[in-house]
Amino acid sequence: MAAGVIGAFTAVLRRELRLAARARAEWLMPPLFFVIVVTLFGLGAKPNDPLLADFAPAILWVGALLAALLTLERLFRADYEDGTLEQIFIAPAPAIAAIAAKLSAHWLLTGLPLALLAAPLAAALGFPSAALPALTAGLALGTPVLSLIGGFAAALTVGLPRAGVLLPLLVLPLVTPIVIFGAGAARAAQSGLPADAPLYFLAAVLVLGLTLLPWATTAALRNAFE
Amino acid sequence: MWTWFHRLASPPTFYRLADRLVPWLGLLAAGLLGYGIFGGLLLAPADYQQGDAFRIIYVHVPAAALSLSVYVLMAAAGAVAVIWRIKLAECVLVAAAPIGASFTALALVTGMLWGKPMWGAYWVWDARLTSELILLFLYAGVIGLNQAIEEPRAAARACGLLALIGVINVPIVHYSVEWWNSLHQGSTILKLGRPNMSADMARPLYAALLGTYCFFGVALLRRVQNELLLRERGTAWVKEQLRSAHV
Amino acid sequence: MSLIAVENLAVARGGRTLLRGLDLAVQAGEVLHLRGGNGAGKTSLLEVLCGLRVPLEGAFRQRPEPQALHWLGHKNALNLALTPLENLGFWCGLNSVAEDALLPVLQRLGIERLRHRPCRTLSAGQKRRCALARLLLAPRPLWLLDEPLDGLDAQGLGLFAQLLAEHLGRGGAAIVTSHQPLPPGVPGVREWQLA
């Protein structure tokens, strides 16, 4: 059985990466969107406003969150519509292996680039370079939770003709702790305080999310067949 | 025990039981709320610091308590609906959401009104006010999801899953917001041992609190009854019920 | 011995009960051809039998293991951006099935020349053949097929009949929905009209 689980996980992961390689524009959209949002914040403020550095944690976190939302709607939609999801649920390996692979792929293709992009963007906003590790660590711990919660919300709305506005409505209240702790870690580091407390909280939330959300997502997808 | 549970969960049995419960609960709610409001607004002495402004707690505290309790109830009903697929639990979940959202909105509005004289602004980024706002969004998500999915049973189970994840999230949100910032005054009645509220202020508050729970019971039972009629339309017991009600 | 058996099954979809009190059993070497108008509940019944949908009432007397059944929905489960080879290779990985059989199977279904073309460029019948290829990639005794003849040309129908006959000859069984009669050459067909 274990071999079946690993086989299903790698099969789905390989397929997701292959699909991403075939539709590159789609996965370049979130990082590009992230850059644009941050640029617009810069343009909305006074030129070289030093206050931007103070707001950098909030700007970067909200930007990353909104960028991660962009690709969510399509996460399960295509597989639901073309019947692949049925094959995943019929297969002998537990469906959660395949679902976990899809969530991992979403993080690899959306969350990870955003986390890596945050440091240069933060520097552009005048964020102190000594605090960059805390910011990046926060995003590295927080973006997987965004993928998990986002995947759960996408699974709840997979059968709907248009998830549209509903998806952010479901995701945003659930991710508030992530934004608070993530931006909090960056702010703490920015003012020279230790950032480990909020980072530990982020890690705890990530562990909790990893334990619960793949199951909840699988249940939500199964529910969509009825 | 289980057979009793199953009989209670059967729509016609529950429908008739609700019919019998509603008048008593309603009476109880009216009495308790009447005393709570009267006692709170007229009998209780004014607060030595806050003057008469504190009297909003007779609405604010019950509404805030209900906003959380209803969400927990929704999550419990959601668990039953998701695991055992019991129709009654689906109805309870779906019926409770708008009531809970209303209490949350009421708690927010009264909190803001109270905040104006106390903090000098309608909105401050205080821990409990902020978590209450996020709770309102969580309710909005459940209501929106339920309305978006056409198949009612699938919609209720999806809402159940959402409420379950949401209820785990509520304490995390609360804690994170508290960590983030706190201006709110400490909890007044839940401090056991050393109550910092005089008895003639507290008695109407407890009455209003209990009365609001009873009122919620009435509203919930009536809404669940409507859900049941809607979902079971076409079955024999609904037709009989409607015939006996001369509809 | 029956490969699948249910009793007193009730199937609902969208809050409406479509079928009630259904007893059904399929023996090795038998094809059950489900017929009925649109909305009679054929697809919902198949979804219950393959385990995708929970029945309203009733129980399985004999429930096939996931390794023992093939499900072919009316959707082909092909990603249009991927080629037939990639789509079927993914299915093999998902089911922990060796990929060696891929090429011979594609040859058997007459689509080996298309194997490197993205599925979006294939015709409806060619995509249906790709989906049918899964039936041969792993030998499984029970086939549950929803409108398998959709889009197939005359030659495809003959091929399908051949594959089904061979499957039955090896002791397999199938439950098939189809609006058109099954092509000639399939032995042991039992028709079942759903009200």
Side-chain angles (χ1 to χ4, degrees):
Chain A
M1 199 42 139
V5 172
I6 295 165
F9 184 91
T10 44
V12 172
L13 193 61
R14 274 179 51 193
R15 173 173 179 273
E16 291 297 304
L17 297 180
R18 178 173 280 154
L19 279 170
R22 213 144 290 180
R24 251 173 257 135
E26 204 171 296
W27 297 101
L28 288 176
M29 236 20 111
L32 191 63
F33 177 85
F34 191 27
V35 175
I36 290 172
V37 167
V38 174
T39 314
L40 286 177
F41 265 105
L43 291 173
K46 278 186 299 187
N48 299 313
D49 193 338
L51 279 178
L52 268 178
D54 291 348
F55 282 105
I59 295 170
L60 291 166
W61 266 92
V62 172
L65 176 56
L66 295 180
L69 276 178
L70 287 181
T71 49
L72 275 183
E73 194 177 342
R74 305 188 35 83
L75 183 54
F76 297 114
R77 177 62 51 88
D79 292 343
Y80 176 76
E81 280 169 359
D82 71 17
T84 304
L85 217 48
E86 292 176 3
Q87 293 295 335
I88 285 176
F89 276 96
I90 294 297
I96 191 167
I99 305 308
K102 289 211 63 119
L103 294 171
S104 314
H106 183 262
W107 179 71
L108 280 175
L109 295 163
T110 308
L112 187 60
L114 294 175
L116 295 176
L117 205 52
L121 288 175
L125 291 175
F127 191 73
S129 51
L132 283 179
L135 176 79
T136 309
L139 277 158
L141 289 168
T143 45
V145 189
L146 296 186
S147 290
L148 286 165
I149 290 178
F152 172 61
L156 286 173
T157 55
V158 72
L160 302 179
R162 274 191 313 274
V165 225
L166 190 55
L167 201 53
L169 179 67
L170 299 181
V171 173
L172 296 180
L174 289 174
V175 300
T176 32
I178 304 300
V179 174
I180 290 176
F181 288 132
R187 271 188 299 123
Q190 194 176 12
S191 37
L193 300 168
D196 12 354
L199 288 179
Y200 281 133
F201 276 117
L202 274 182
V205 173
L206 172 59
V207 170
L208 188 68
L210 279 174
T211 340
L212 295 176
L213 284 165
W215 267 270
T217 307
T218 310
L221 286 171
R222 183 172 278 285
N223 188 41
F225 287 116
E226 292 179 40
Chain B
M1 162 70 189
W2 278 107
T3 52
W4 173 82
F5 189 71
H6 269 282
R7 190 136 28 92
L8 184 64
S10 103
T13 318
F14 181 86
Y15 189 92
R16 282 178 212 122
L17 181 74
D19 260 348
R20 253 180 287 154
L21 277 174
V22 161
W24 294 106
L25 268 178
L27 217 59
L28 208 59
L32 285 166
L33 277 176
Y35 168 71
I37 301 284
F38 179 72
L41 297 189
L42 297 173
L43 300 183
D47 187 82
Y48 79 101
Q49 266 185 327
Q50 306 190 359
D52 281 327
F54 96 97
R55 294 186 195 276
I56 204 162
I57 61 164
Y58 296 103
V59 183
H60 175 71
V61 171
L66 261 294
S67 67
L68 273 176
S69 309
V70 174
Y71 202 88
V72 174
L73 173 79
M74 261 171 50
V80 176
V82 169
I83 300 169
W84 290 291
R85 306 169 82 90
I86 290 176
K87 207 177 247 175
L88 180 62
E90 295 168 10
C91 293
V92 169
L93 164 69
V94 169
I99 314 180
S102 316
F103 278 123
T104 315
L106 188 62
L108 269 176
V109 170
T110 50
M112 284 160 68
L113 289 178
W114 195 8
K116 182 64 180 167
M118 292 306 112
W119 298 322
Y122 286 111
W123 186 260
V124 291
W125 291 92
D126 143 75
R128 278 195 250 167
L129 218 48
T130 311
S131 353
E132 198 71 19
L133 182 65
I134 290 162
L135 188 62
L136 185 64
F137 294 151
L138 285 174
Y139 274 115
V142 173
I143 295 170
L145 187 63
N146 181 47
Q147 293 194 345
I149 303 179
E150 270 176 40
E151 149 66 22
R153 301 207 61 182
R157 279 193 296 268
C159 290
L161 282 167
L162 181 61
L164 273 174
I165 295 298
V167 86
I168 296 167
N169 208 39
V170 164
I172 305 179
V173 168
H174 188 81
Y175 192 82
S176 63
V177 179
E178 199 142 273
W179 173 83
W180 173 64
N181 181 16
S182 186
L183 288 170
H184 200 287
Q185 65 176 4
S187 174
T188 343
I189 54 172
L190 281 178
K191 274 186 191 157
L192 300 171
R194 194 182 60 87
N196 44 13
M197 193 184 213
S198 82
D200 34 354
M201 281 180 179
R203 249 187 323 247
L205 181 57
Y206 289 127
L209 193 58
L210 272 178
T212 313
Y213 272 100
C214 293
F215 167 74
F216 166 69
V218 173
L220 180 70
L221 286 175
R222 279 299 186 220
R223 287 186 58 93
V224 170
Q225 282 185 313
N226 284 342
E227 271 304 317
L228 283 174
L229 289 181
L230 190 66
R231 287 176 183 221
E232 299 267 276
R233 64 182 180 275
T235 61
W237 78 267
V238 170
K239 283 184 186 143
E240 190 198 331
Q241 202 70 46
L242 294 182
R243 214 175 304 118
S244 66
H246 309 292
V247 179
Chain C
M1 197 198 94
S2 47
L3 293 175
I4 188 168
V6 291
E7 55 188 8
N8 193 28
L9 206 66
V11 177
R13 185 184 203 117
R16 280 183 55 238
T17 308
L18 300 171
L19 303 166
R20 203 176 264 293
L22 190 88
D23 294 322
L24 179 154
V26 177
Q27 319 293 329
E30 187 183 36
V31 176
L32 186 63
H33 179 188
L34 297 176
R35 308 202 65 166
N38 299 121
K42 303 184 297 290
T43 298
S44 305
L45 173 61
L46 274 189
E47 285 172 355
V48 166
L49 294 179
C50 75
L52 271 180
R53 182 182 285 276
V54 179
L56 198 63
E57 285 166 23
F60 280 84
R61 266 193 295 122
Q62 167 71 37
R63 175 167 216 154
E65 293 285 310
Q67 303 81 313
L69 80 88
H70 268 301
W71 159 248
L72 174 67
H74 68 95
K75 296 182 268 190
N76 289 319
L78 298 171
N79 188 298
L80 297 183
L82 299 178
T83 67
L85 209 55
E86 288 165 341
N87 269 310
L88 296 175
F90 160 70
W91 187 87
C92 289
L94 184 67
N95 288 275
S96 299
V97 168
E99 294 186 25
D100 320 338
L102 268 176
L103 254 159
V105 165
L106 288 175
Q107 268 163 5
R108 181 77 209 274
L109 283 147
I111 45 174
E112 83 277 12
R113 282 182 306 107
L114 313 170
R115 65 182 184 274
H116 291 305
R117 273 172 45 181
C119 283
R120 82 170 80 255
T121 66
L122 305 188
S123 75
Q126 289 169 331
K127 281 185 257 188
R128 205 60 182 153
R129 286 181 187 219
C130 275
L132 286 169
R134 294 196 188 97
L135 302 174
L136 305 185
L137 285 173
R140 294 179 176 181
L142 182 63
W143 292 1
L144 300 176
L145 313 175
D146 192 10
E147 297 291 341
L149 308 179
D150 260 12
L152 291 183
D153 55 10
Q155 195 229 344
L157 290 179
L159 181 62
F160 175 76
Q162 244 179 40
L163 297 179
L164 193 52
E166 284 169 22
H167 173 62
L168 299 173
R170 284 190 300 263
I175 304 179
V176 181
T177 71
S178 173
H179 286 295
Q180 43 180 312
L182 294 187
V186 182
V189 177
R190 179 157 62 102
E191 285 207 5
W192 182 316
Q193 187 75 30
L194 295 178

